[in-house]
Amino acid sequence: MTRAGFTAMQPREPLREGDIALARPSPVQWHLMIRTGGGFVHAHAGIGQVVFTPGEAPWPIKTIFRILEG
């Protein structure tokens, strides 16, 4: 992600719209979600579709990736 121009932020940083959050749903699974104004857009493996999940992150966020304006 850093080679693609993103800056890795600590998970305690407030999320901003457009941030990519790396979450940990289980000890053996990682998941990427994109922050929107009212929730997250992410791929839902159980239904095989991209979905919108309103509100806060449903799983613990381990890293936030953000493109910083120069």
Side-chain angles (χ1 to χ4, degrees):
M1 293 290 287
T2 56
R3 291 189 346 199
F6 289 86
T7 299
M9 314 289 287
Q10 294 296 317
R12 65 181 172 272
E13 288 288 322
L15 286 162
R16 298 181 189 170
E17 193 168 345
D19 283 351
I20 297 176
L22 177 63
R24 191 80 190 249
S26 75
V28 296
Q29 181 183 10
W30 293 97
H31 194 66
L32 291 172
M33 306 180 295
I34 302 169
R35 179 67 173 171
T36 66
F40 292 88
V41 173
H42 60 102
H44 190 295
I47 61 173
Q49 293 182 352
V50 174
V51 298
F52 171 73
T53 301
E56 297 303 314
W59 307 292
I61 294 176
K62 299 300 181 181
T63 307
I64 298 167
F65 296 101
R66 180 178 296 158
I67 293 181
L68 299 177
E69 305 274 333

